[in-house]
Amino acid sequence: MSLLDFPDVFIGSTDDGHTFIVINRRIRDADRLLTEAGFLTREHLGRTLYLLPPGTAQDAHERAGIAMYGLLAHTHDLVDLCWTTRWSPDSPVADPEMRFHFSAGTVAVTARTAAARSLLEQHGFTPVANGSSYRPPDGLDERGLLGAVTAAETHAYTHGLGVRVDLGIPTPADIPPAPRRPSAARPRTPTTPSTCRRTR
């Protein structure tokens, strides 16, 4: 599985400025909510993508906000790591103070300010030699990395720090395929209990 597949809803950005939404479980009216907010639907490698083409941060912010408001009526298991929607009338888009970059199953982090460095260290990120780069806590799988980045990004937002999360996805065509689902024809072993876990 890729990091896009853990929450019910994942909102992200490609390197070329597309905003995308992936829905990982059936949500009533999701298609209508997203298309009415201006997202375009595209079938891609076994999944439905909802896309906004590159545009202004204000427009993407407003459209994604409408979509999120509607989706939150159905689930709170939503991860938003989208840099294309980061806009506020009180603070214009600026060079972020903290940047996360996912690649090859891990994440690299850079911090430009003392406040950003302090916040990262509070979340267990460890500085490396040059003092502005950080690595994540040891022993995390992709789900753990996603949780660590989401927690630090949300904390930074509450303190007014600019953050950009690069998912390592150049264009919508590079979004990973949907995970393979187990065959419905394969019987479940009766001695194996069924468990359901959700990422928050």
Side-chain angles (χ1 to χ4, degrees):
M1 292 177 70
S2 79
L3 60 95
L4 307 185
D5 299 313
F6 295 116
D8 289 350
V9 179
F10 189 100
I11 304 176
S13 305
T14 58
D15 296 349
D16 68 356
H18 283 80
T19 303
F20 69 86
I21 296 180
V22 170
I23 308 289
N24 289 312
R25 75 165 176 89
R26 190 177 300 277
I27 294 176
R28 185 170 50 88
D29 296 330
D31 190 72
R32 179 186 58 80
L33 289 166
L34 293 169
T35 54
E36 286 181 359
F39 284 80
L40 306 174
T41 306
R42 180 190 294 180
E43 295 304 315
H44 174 71
L45 300 176
R47 68 164 96 237
T48 301
L49 300 178
Y50 296 91
L51 297 171
L52 285 179
T56 66
Q58 180 178 356
D59 183 58
H61 173 83
E62 291 170 356
R63 291 179 185 276
I66 291 167
M68 284 178 64
Y69 182 78
L71 292 169
L72 284 169
H74 302 281
T75 182
H76 288 175
D77 189 10
L78 183 151
V79 170
D80 176 14
L81 294 178
C82 187
W83 62 264
T84 50
T85 62
R86 298 304 189 246
W87 176 86
S88 165
D90 301 322
S91 56
V93 176
D95 187 28
E97 291 151 284
M98 192 182 306
R99 184 182 293 254
F100 296 87
H101 181 77
F102 283 91
S103 178
T106 189
V107 65
V109 194
T110 55
R112 288 196 305 108
T113 65
R117 290 189 288 273
S118 173
L119 189 146
L120 285 170
E121 289 170 19
Q122 289 176 50
H123 286 270
F125 288 83
T126 305
V128 296
N130 66 10
S132 65
S133 297
Y134 285 77
R135 61 180 174 79
D138 293 332
L140 298 181
D141 59 10
E142 279 199 308
R143 184 189 296 269
L145 286 171
L146 179 61
V149 171
T150 301
E153 194 269 353
T154 302
H155 191 181
Y157 179 79
T158 65
H159 286 277
L161 299 177
V163 181
R164 175 162 167 160
V165 179
D166 296 317
L167 298 171
I169 302 173
T171 72
D174 301 296
I175 290 173
R180 297 184 73 170
R181 304 290 181 203
S183 170
R186 205 163 111 195
R188 173 175 273 174
T189 306
T191 57
T192 305
S194 175
T195 60
C196 179
R197 294 184 179 180
R198 293 165 61 93
T199 302
R200 292 288 178 194

